[in-house]
Structures are given as C-alpha cells and as structure tokens.
Amino acid sequence: MSVRPAEGSEAGAPTAPASSRPPPVRRDLSRRVLGGVCAGIGRRLGIDPIVLRVGFVAAAVSGGVGILLYAIAWAFVPAEGAQRSAAARIRGRRESWQAAAGTGLLVLSALLVFRELGIWFSDALVWPVVVAAAGAALIWRQSTSATGGGPAAAAPAGRTSALATPGSRTEPPGASPAGAGGGSAAEAAAPTPPRVITGLPLRGGPALSRAGLGVALVLGAGLFFLQANGALGALRDVLLAVVVVLIAVGLILAPWWWRLVRNLTEERTERIRSQERAEMAAHLHDSVLQTLALVQRRAEDPREVAGLARRQERELRAWLTGRSEPEARRSVSTALEGVAAEVEETHGIPIDVVSVGDAPVDDDALTVIAAAREALVNAARFAGEHGPVSLYAEVDDERLHVFVRDRGPGFDPSAIPTDRRGVRESIIGRMQRRGGRATVHAAPGGGGTEVELVMERER
Amino acid sequence: MSGARSFDTVSLVAGMVVIALGGLLLLDRLEVIDIGFGYLFPLLTAATGAILLAGGLAARPGR
C-alpha cells in the first residue's frame, strides 16, 4: 500500500470565530455604594446606576422587596475579577445548606422587622413574592448547575444507557472496519455489539427533586397570591371546567390513544429489530462469507486456509464478546489506511491511499470505514488484476467524503442479483441506515468503477 | 511558646450574637427599650441565621 499525503492537507486546528456576545454582568466594585450590583448592571445595560439605585430603594421602602432582590443579585452575580459568585462558592461546599438556611433566616428576620415597623406593602404580596423567589432560586440553581453551557453538558459525551429512547440511535454491530482475514488489523478494529446511545443526560434524583420543589414553591406562591387577593374563586371555576372537559376528552380518546401508543411501540421495536438484523447480515457478509469465498479460491494451500480460518475466528470472537480496540480508531485516515492495508494483504493487490484532512473516529466514521472496506474488497475481487485500486478520502468538519476507484471492466449496478448483498446492503444500505449516501458510478465495458461515500457530520 | 492561637469563627459569631441578644434583653428589662414578641421573634431568627451562615461560610471544602 502506498500512502501519499495530499498537498495542503495539514490537519490544522480550525480557528474558532471570535465571539461577539456581550460580556456577562459583573458587580462593579470600583463604583460601588454597597455591593456594586447597581453599578455593574448599569454599566452592562448602559444606563446610569443612579436610576437603578433609586428603583432598589423605592422597592426596599415599599415592603422590603428591594432588599431581597439586591441580596439575591449580590449572591448570584460575581464581582469583577472573580471567577464565581458568592452563591457559586457556597454551592461547592458540603455545608452549603447551612449557609442557605442562614441566609434565608436573615432575610426572613429582616422582613419581619420591616413588617413590625410598618414598612410593609401587604402580606398578600410580599410573602408570595418571597416564596416565589425561593422557588425561582432553586430552579435557577438547578438549571445553571445542569447546563454549564447547555443541558447536554450535564452528562459526558457518549454516555450510554441501556434504555432505548425515542431519538436515540443504535450503533450497528457491523459498523466497523473489520472483516474477512483481518488478522491483527481486523482484531484492532473489531466491531462492537449493538449499543444504544442516547442524547439525553442521565439526571439524578436530588437534582430533579430540587427543581420539583422550586416549581412547587412558585406555583404555591401564585396560588397563595390569588387566594389572598380573592381571585382564586373565579380561577377555581375555570380550572374545574377545564379539568372536567379534559377528563371527558381523555375518556373518549383513551382507546385510540392506547392503540396508537401500542402501534408506535411495536413499529419501533420492529424497526430496531430489522435494523439490527440488516447490520448483522452485513457484518456476516463482510466477514464470514468473504472468508469462505477466499477459502474456496485458495483451497490448494492448506496453510493459507488455516490462517484465514484463524483470523476469522479471532474476529468473530472479538465481535461476539464486544471487545473493542481503540488503536485503529484514533483517526479516520489511520483507520482507512489500516483497512486498505488489510485488504491489500488479504487479496494481494496494491491500493493507493490519499487522505485530505483528518478527524477522530466516531460512529458515523465507523460506518463510512466499513462501507469503504467493502468497496475495496469488491474492487480487489473483481478488478484487482486490471491495476491498482485507489482510495481517496476528504475529511473536514462538515462531511466525510470517500472515493474507491478501480480500473476493472465495470458493471451495471441495477443488474446485481437480489441475493447478492455486497453493494446493496454492506455499502448502500449501511450508509443509508446511518443517514449517509453511497453512489456507484460504473462504466460497463472497461471504464472502471467508482464508489462514492458521503456522510454529513454532526456538528 | 506556641504561635498565634487559632479561633473558631462559628463560636466567635455565636458568642457575639448571644452577647448582643443578652444586651438587648437587659435593656428591655431595664425598660430602656421595649422588645415585644414582634421584635423578639425576628431577633431570634436573625441570630440563628447568623450562626448558620457563619458555620456554612467558615467550613472548608472536604472537611
């Protein structure tokens, strides 16, 4: 095998575009009166902090809400130059509940003193606001601790779950560049059994209970506010009517809904089963059937036949036990070179490999590599004696693009018998199941064959 | 001769809070000020909150 690095193919790290997002709010301690909250918010919004200070004082005088809001802002907005806010620093400690309870009691005592002094708006307003603020703080804390930039960041990438959920993807068992006579290369790239990869982070019970408590507090505060202001009676009538209508509609639609859910479940199960069956058939075709064909062609050489059988046995055992070897899966170009070397060794034909760009091997890349391997095997079997086979790969952030060309007699793809699975299942079907595309450009009569594989990458 | 003696922040805060409460109650007893339940309850709440907050802030991670 000859590998030629393409010009201008340095896999330089792409430079990220400069972020145009405005800077986050920070407490401005250089122009502070108390904690720098108003100065920081004013600088961020481009308004005079005096306006904000007047607003906070007015809210503080009319019931003490301004004090609560200021305290919350002080706790959750980090100061200039600080990495984390006071609340974030407290959260990281095991005794954070003490600090939270202490802060809550201090705020409660301040509110009670204001109430006793008569600087009070109304029980019907202040207490619901306090309870709702506590609930919102709980929800906010849960959302910020779970995201860290986005909900997906709550769980490490590639986190797996044994439970298949809608929207999850099943990695095909044969999506690996292993195959017949793989030897060490086949073992290194041994496919793994089917596994389900979900995009949903697995959340813990305490996090959910915190968020649930926050929601309950906010809803309870709303109901308390409505009750205290005498508006709950009208709302109760409306809610009662809505609930009655919903129950009636639910009773009417329940049989259809139940049947729909059952049908969808059965359809999904059948779809997963057929996909796994197709992937298993593709893998068997790529490995066992190819090896059996080679054994028939080389039956006169017992040593080579025994070697083929041993390699196939090792590959099958690795596949059945789910053993994965990441060595050949480090990068797409390395895996493609390994596959080409394996086919070159097994079939004894030269393969030229040119790759432009590189990327880590993910599930999409595994599918492309497996399809490319099958295309190389086909080219070696049917066009190997007509000259070298070439493999050209372009890898970038948006797509994987692989071409396998031979100089053989060519063929008509539409004339392939239905019982032959090589092109139809191991290449085209495999790519389509993963959301990719495989096209066979063949020119019957000596024009050679080109198999084009395209897989758009998830960004 | 030992070096500088370390002190417990929580105990310090708790002691100061109790002293302050005692002083207020003494002033109430001397009829200098009048502390009714409406003020006493927030005072006790604030004292408890201050001690808890001091304990939470003084604790070291991994203790």
Side-chain angles (χ1 to χ4, degrees):
Chain A
M1 180 188 66
S2 62
V3 180
R4 297 195 303 267
E7 290 183 10
S9 64
E10 297 91 20
T15 55
S19 173
S20 60
R21 289 187 307 172
V25 181
R26 289 282 186 271
R27 286 188 283 121
D28 188 354
L29 299 179
S30 61
R31 295 188 299 159
R32 68 175 176 175
V33 173
L34 289 176
V37 171
C38 294
I41 296 176
R43 189 178 61 178
R44 171 69 179 79
L45 299 178
I47 59 177
D48 195 334
I50 296 291
V51 178
L52 294 169
R53 284 172 188 142
V54 169
F56 268 107
V57 170
V61 171
S62 59
V65 178
I67 296 175
L68 180 65
L69 292 177
Y70 194 95
I72 291 173
W74 177 85
F76 286 97
V77 176
E80 216 170 21
Q83 294 293 322
R84 297 188 299 169
S85 65
R89 290 197 298 273
I90 291 171
R91 272 207 307 269
R93 300 182 176 180
R94 288 168 57 194
E95 292 80 3
S96 60
W97 69 270
Q98 284 187 16
T103 307
L105 287 177
L106 284 174
V107 172
L108 177 66
S109 65
L111 290 172
L112 288 173
V113 168
F114 276 114
R115 186 173 182 270
E116 194 65 23
L117 290 172
I119 309 171
W120 196 249
F121 197 77
S122 164
D123 280 350
L125 175 63
V126 177
W127 295 123
V129 167
V130 170
V131 175
L138 273 175
I139 297 171
W140 189 21
R141 176 194 169 174
Q142 174 52 30
S143 65
T144 52
S145 63
T147 56
R159 199 167 181 176
T160 58
S161 167
L163 184 65
T165 57
S168 64
R169 295 191 318 205
T170 304
E171 185 193 351
S176 170
S184 59
E187 271 192 68
T192 56
R195 67 176 187 267
V196 176
I197 301 170
T198 71
L200 296 175
L202 302 178
R203 295 177 181 278
L208 279 177
S209 63
R210 270 200 301 272
L213 179 62
V215 171
L217 282 175
V218 173
L219 290 177
L223 290 175
F224 179 48
F225 178 78
L226 292 173
Q227 170 69 26
N229 290 280
L232 196 58
L235 180 66
R236 189 178 55 214
D237 295 341
V238 174
L239 283 177
L240 187 61
V242 170
V243 168
V244 168
V245 170
L246 283 178
I247 290 175
V249 171
L251 287 175
I252 293 170
L253 296 180
W256 284 277
W257 177 80
W258 176 252
R259 196 180 305 158
L260 179 68
V261 169
R262 201 175 54 188
N263 288 343
L264 285 175
T265 306
E266 288 175 356
E267 181 189 339
R268 183 166 152 269
T269 306
E270 182 58 33
R271 191 173 64 247
I272 292 172
R273 196 176 293 144
S274 65
Q275 272 194 352
E276 290 178 348
R277 196 182 301 126
E279 292 298 337
M280 187 166 298
H283 177 79
L284 288 177
H285 174 273
D286 294 356
S287 57
V288 179
L289 292 181
Q290 300 279 8
T291 302
L292 289 176
L294 278 173
V295 165
Q296 289 179 39
R297 285 166 54 184
R298 301 178 185 179
E300 71 281 356
D301 188 348
R303 288 182 60 186
E304 190 168 355
V305 168
L308 284 171
R310 274 198 303 274
R311 281 185 289 187
Q312 184 58 63
E313 181 191 1
R314 279 199 300 270
E315 190 271 329
L316 265 183
R317 285 186 188 282
W319 185 64
L320 287 173
T321 56
R323 192 175 62 205
S324 63
E325 174 58 57
E327 185 63 26
R329 299 172 53 166
R330 282 181 303 188
S331 73
V332 174
S333 65
T334 307
L336 285 173
E337 287 165 9
V339 164
E342 170 214 327
V343 176
E344 196 176 69
E345 178 190 355
T346 306
H347 294 270
I349 53 107
I351 298 177
D352 295 331
V353 178
V354 177
S355 58
V356 178
D358 206 352
V361 176
D362 55 11
D363 295 333
D364 289 340
L366 280 177
T367 302
V368 174
I369 291 164
R373 181 193 172 278
E374 180 61 21
L376 286 173
V377 169
N378 278 345
R381 288 178 60 193
F382 299 110
E385 67 270 20
H386 293 88
V389 176
S390 67
L391 186 152
Y392 176 74
E394 275 186 15
V395 183
D396 56 35
D397 290 339
E398 294 183 350
R399 69 171 64 177
L400 299 173
H401 212 158
V402 176
F403 297 90
V404 176
R405 296 192 187 96
D406 65 55
R407 296 178 175 82
F411 68 101
D412 182 7
S414 61
I416 302 174
T418 55
D419 60 334
R420 304 304 298 267
R421 308 182 65 89
V423 173
R424 187 174 292 114
E425 280 301 321
S426 292
I427 299 178
I428 298 175
R430 174 177 272 149
M431 292 292 291
Q432 286 177 345
R433 280 192 293 275
R434 195 71 200 178
R437 176 168 55 86
T439 311
V440 179
H441 308 285
T449 304
E450 178 185 85
V451 177
E452 179 185 6
L453 309 171
V454 182
M455 181 73 77
E456 303 293 337
R457 305 197 75 191
E458 294 177 357
R459 307 193 72 181
Chain B
M1 205 58 190
S2 63
R5 291 176 59 190
S6 61
F7 57 87
D8 185 6
T9 310
V10 182
S11 301
L12 181 69
V13 172
M16 291 173 66
V17 165
V18 171
I19 290 171
L21 268 179
L24 287 172
L25 291 174
L26 180 62
L27 291 175
D28 177 55
R29 188 70 178 168
L30 295 173
E31 297 185 350
V32 177
I33 58 174
D34 181 26
I35 301 179
F37 181 76
Y39 288 108
L40 186 59
F41 181 69
L43 276 177
L44 292 174
T45 308
T48 311
I51 295 170
L52 280 176
L53 186 60
L57 293 178
R60 293 289 178 269
R63 192 175 73 176

